[in-house]
Amino acid sequence: MFIKSVAVALFLVFASSPAFAYSDEIEWLRNQSFNSCKKFYVWRLIENYFKNPRWESGWSDQGDYIVNVHGKMQYDGQNVNALLQFTIDPKRGKFDLSGLAFNGKPQSKDMRVALIETMCEDLQ
């Protein structure tokens, strides 16, 4: 009986745990806000605008900490695979949206700014 109880308890622990855990850097970024959209956390904007966003993190060849978010979204009336790339500067405690690509095609800084503004307006 004891073994059955332990097995059930372990099942409940693992069943209620998320299948993955974000890195500390991703968790930190998710809970930040853009200067142009202080009302909402980064995670809220992305999860509202992207279908099934996937968050990844790691170090760049230049020694920067990078967080990439992949997901599907609508752009110009079409479904696109989007990539947002953030650079985290732990010394300053700041982040930058350093890249945006649609279907692998890099977008301009103006497009990055416009996307964040649109994402913010979409939640208002």
Side-chain angles (χ1 to χ4, degrees):
M1 186 60 147
F2 174 75
I3 293 176
K4 187 175 182 180
S5 297
V6 169
V8 169
L10 287 173
F11 173 78
L12 291 174
V13 167
F14 288 113
S16 63
S17 300
F20 60 92
Y22 293 125
S23 69
D24 291 342
E25 292 79 10
I26 290 176
E27 285 293 345
W28 178 85
L29 175 64
R30 287 173 56 88
N31 292 299
Q32 301 304 306
S33 297
F34 290 100
N35 288 333
S36 62
C37 188
K38 291 284 190 188
K39 288 183 176 180
F40 303 105
Y41 291 124
V42 169
W43 73 265
R44 181 74 174 101
L45 293 173
I46 291 172
E47 306 258 336
N48 180 65
Y49 211 77
F50 283 41
K51 288 184 182 177
N52 303 317
R54 191 175 77 246
W55 299 73
E56 306 170 331
S57 63
W59 293 96
S60 74
D61 293 338
Q62 293 77 29
D64 297 320
Y65 200 83
I66 302 294
V67 173
N68 289 330
V69 182
H70 303 266
K72 295 188 182 301
M73 60 171 268
Q74 286 277 315
Y75 172 68
D76 203 21
Q78 296 185 13
N79 290 326
V80 296
N81 293 315
L83 166 67
L84 294 174
Q85 185 171 76
F86 297 90
T87 304
I88 296 176
D89 183 345
K91 292 177 186 173
R92 295 184 315 152
K94 300 211 180 238
F95 71 94
D96 295 306
L97 178 55
S98 53
L100 170 65
F102 295 148
N103 294 332
K105 182 180 176 191
Q107 302 297 309
S108 69
K109 183 176 182 178
D110 290 340
M111 180 62 83
R112 294 191 305 251
V113 171
L115 177 62
I116 298 308
E117 289 172 356
T118 301
M119 292 167 76
C120 190
E121 289 170 6
D122 196 52
L123 282 172
Q124 309 233 11

